[in-house]
Amino acid sequence: MHNNKWSIFESYVNQLMLDGHVPGAAVAVSKNGETIYMNGFGYRDVKNKKPVTVDTIFGIASITKSFTALAIIKLESEGKLSVDDPVIKYLPDFQLKTEDMSQIKIHHLLSHTVGLPPIERYQELNRFHEHISYLATIHERPLGKPGEYLSYCNDLYLLLGAIIEKVTGRLFRKYMIEEIIAPLEMHRTTYSTEDIKKFGNVTVQYDYDPVAKSFQSNPWENLGNYETSGGLRSTVVDLIKYGNVYVDTLASEQSTWQHINYQKMWKPVFPIGKNECYGYGVRTEQDYFGYQLVKHGGSLPGVSSYFGFIPEEKIVVAVLTNVSGGPKIDIWKAALHTALGIPIKQKKKEAPDYHLSPKELQALVGTYATNKKGSRLEIRIINNVLVAETNGHSSVVKAIDYQTLVIKDSGKVVKFFIDDNGVAWAAFINLRMLPRVEGAAV
């Protein structure tokens, strides 16, 4: 398992962890249902020098969404619902500030295409009906008709959990454990913070404090209703078992999984970048060095995770780390490249720079935000340099066309929506739509 190419990978990961202030990480890779690499790096407990192993439990955050989407597709394959059903067929009290609720389908929840801008998060809500009541009180309207815009929204995604309860008559958590997690023998996977206290070999979750140059621990959060979209805790070993459902290696062994139309989950629904689309709880990149990638990441305090697979190669890769904002994608791509025989640092060809005219430049400059705390983007010109400010962090940006900027230090793409007057009315960043704030200083 530890041949030379994986030794190169390990050196690269150790350097990434050092540079990115990552206390601990776990990586696993399988091909054709066989694990070809797995390893733990660093510490699950820095203070007591306890190492990470492949069985260490981490948070997986939004990778959880694909589990919920799989449950919906499973129920559809059993004839118990259709993704084209209106949400109000199952949740009649569901209400947003919009004209026709019957137009919002399960399909729109799965793909984040209801188009609701970010709203305030309330983790203390533990019952779905409480969340439905909360949604009825918000002032934000959808940005357009269902399907017209994508804006990532945990608050609407969690309604899938309420639909699962309505259709099955079982608590969401109970249904997921009994129908998906237990049959896959994912014995170290749980939604429960109580279980976390009982398991051994569980990571401490960390934030890195750059001023003190030390790690601060983060408690395991009770996510309330948001467990539907971010609440699973798991190991890379268990995630490989899960991933193998999608690449057909379990189909012959377990008839339970044969009749489910998984491909529907990664069928492109909405474009989110060049050659990249969002589907149902996963995103798909169509041509990554000639391969189709199906993937999703997760971020919570003390959690940076990434998971995905290449259907035609039957390769599954899982990466879990125990720090906020860790270099999860870099580690994941390095593992993927190693499995595929692509040089670790090889990057896709970058789009050429685009020179914005003064008019095009002014169309983008401004503040984009919602009422939700923390979702704020400012595009400014400082000393003749175009910069983006997010969460107090200022970065130089470059244009790749008249409505698309790339943040140079992170590689994040910002796409702008231009109105009939030639001015940007919204910015799309981190899969979220942020409307322009009128009257903000530019």
Side-chain angles (χ1 to χ4, degrees):
M1 192 182 283
H2 280 69
N3 60 20
N4 187 47
K5 68 178 184 178
W6 289 109
S7 298
I8 294 166
F9 166 75
E10 287 172 359
S11 298
Y12 181 72
V13 171
N14 284 321
Q15 192 59 51
L16 275 178
M17 290 173 67
L18 197 64
D19 295 344
H21 306 292
V22 180
V27 179
V29 184
S30 73
K31 183 167 185 175
N32 297 319
E34 297 294 321
T35 301
I36 60 171
Y37 179 82
M38 58 179 176
N39 200 11
F41 297 80
Y43 297 110
R44 68 179 192 263
D45 181 339
V46 172
K47 186 179 170 186
N48 296 302
K49 296 282 187 286
K50 291 182 180 175
V52 168
T53 75
V54 294
D55 290 314
T56 301
I57 294 173
F58 294 79
I60 72 168
S62 285
I63 296 170
T64 305
K65 288 182 173 67
S66 63
F67 285 79
T68 303
L70 175 60
I72 293 286
I73 296 301
K74 183 175 185 294
L75 290 168
E76 183 177 57
S77 71
E78 293 162 0
K80 291 175 181 167
L81 55 74
S82 164
V83 296
D84 296 318
D85 289 337
V87 176
I88 54 171
K89 177 178 176 180
Y90 304 96
L91 309 176
D93 295 336
F94 172 47
Q95 185 62 50
L96 295 175
K97 299 255 183 311
T98 188
E99 278 86 56
D100 188 357
M101 290 300 294
S102 68
Q103 295 305 303
I104 301 175
K105 312 287 177 64
I106 294 174
H107 162 85
H108 298 120
L109 300 183
L110 284 162
S111 55
H112 298 285
T113 52
V114 174
L116 191 71
I119 62 172
E120 195 146 354
R121 185 177 171 107
Y122 284 103
Q123 284 181 199
E124 61 270 29
L125 304 179
N126 281 300
R127 295 177 181 170
F128 291 123
H129 71 82
E130 296 171 331
H131 222 100
I132 292 167
S133 299
Y134 162 57
L135 289 169
T137 69
I138 62 169
H139 297 297
E140 285 84 358
R141 291 175 171 274
L143 299 156
K145 291 177 182 167
E148 201 173 349
Y149 300 105
L150 180 145
S151 190
Y152 196 81
C153 185
N154 288 300
D155 294 86
L156 295 182
Y157 209 91
L158 63 79
L159 296 179
L160 296 166
I163 291 170
I164 290 167
E165 289 195 349
K166 190 68 178 269
V167 169
T168 66
R170 285 187 256 179
L171 287 174
F172 167 75
R173 191 188 281 191
K174 194 166 174 56
Y175 177 84
M176 297 300 293
I177 297 290
E178 290 173 353
E179 297 294 332
I180 292 175
I181 291 162
L184 288 175
E185 298 182 358
M186 298 174 69
H187 299 312
R188 291 180 60 74
T189 298
T190 182
Y191 289 94
S192 165
T193 46
E194 288 305 308
D195 283 354
I196 286 294
K197 294 170 189 167
K198 295 172 188 174
F199 276 118
N201 195 358
V202 175
T203 189
V204 178
Q205 301 186 130
Y206 294 100
D207 277 321
Y208 180 71
D209 183 339
V211 178
K213 295 188 176 174
S214 65
F215 294 108
Q216 312 297 325
S217 64
N218 247 315
W220 290 87
E221 288 185 278
N222 219 332
L223 295 172
N225 290 329
Y226 295 94
E227 73 176 19
T228 321
S229 51
L232 275 175
R233 285 84 183 197
S234 191
T235 69
V236 288
V237 170
D238 277 5
L239 285 177
I240 291 294
K241 292 176 184 175
Y242 169 63
N244 278 319
V245 164
Y246 296 110
V247 297
D248 278 347
T249 54
L250 290 180
S252 58
E253 299 165 38
Q254 296 199 30
S255 57
T256 319
W257 307 104
Q258 280 181 317
H259 62 284
I260 302 172
N261 182 9
Y262 309 112
Q263 287 83 355
K264 195 165 185 172
M265 287 174 61
W266 59 87
K267 186 179 173 188
V269 173
F270 199 93
I272 53 175
K274 194 168 189 279
N275 292 327
E276 197 162 344
C277 291
Y278 205 92
Y280 291 170
V282 290
R283 46 201 291 174
T284 306
E285 196 166 341
Q286 294 299 349
D287 181 12
Y288 187 81
F289 296 106
Y291 299 100
Q292 182 192 47
L293 300 189
V294 183
K295 57 191 181 174
H296 210 286
S299 297
L300 278 170
V303 180
S304 288
S305 57
Y306 220 81
F307 163 84
F309 50 91
I310 302 178
E312 64 269 30
E313 294 292 317
K314 298 192 183 333
I315 288 175
V316 182
V317 182
V319 170
L320 298 174
T321 76
N322 57 2
V323 68
S324 306
K328 57 191 180 185
I329 297 175
D330 292 338
I331 298 173
W332 187 80
K333 282 190 173 172
L336 188 73
H337 283 209
T338 304
L340 291 169
I342 299 170
I344 276 183
K345 293 184 182 178
Q346 190 164 329
K347 287 186 163 52
K348 289 187 303 175
K349 204 168 145 190
E350 287 188 9
D353 289 12
Y354 175 87
H355 182 72
L356 291 165
S357 70
K359 185 179 177 186
E360 288 172 332
L361 192 60
Q362 284 306 320
L364 307 184
V365 169
T367 300
Y368 303 84
T370 67
N371 294 332
K372 180 176 174 277
K373 299 182 185 89
S375 289
R376 188 177 183 88
L377 167 73
E378 296 190 39
I379 303 296
R380 299 178 178 278
I381 302 167
I382 299 175
N383 299 328
N384 293 320
V385 176
L386 193 61
V387 299
E389 291 182 2
T390 53
N391 302 325
H393 183 66
S394 187
S395 310
V396 174
V397 296
K398 70 168 191 174
I400 55 173
D401 62 41
Y402 76 97
Q403 63 179 131
T404 312
L405 302 178
V406 177
I407 298 174
K408 285 192 175 179
D409 59 9
S410 67
K412 283 184 177 170
V413 175
V414 189
K415 183 182 175 185
F416 295 85
F417 290 84
I418 312 293
D419 64 20
D420 294 341
N421 298 317
V423 176
W425 64 269
F428 183 68
I429 181 171
N430 296 334
L431 296 181
R432 290 166 173 86
M433 289 277 285
L434 302 179
R436 179 189 282 274
V437 178
E438 292 305 325
V442 297

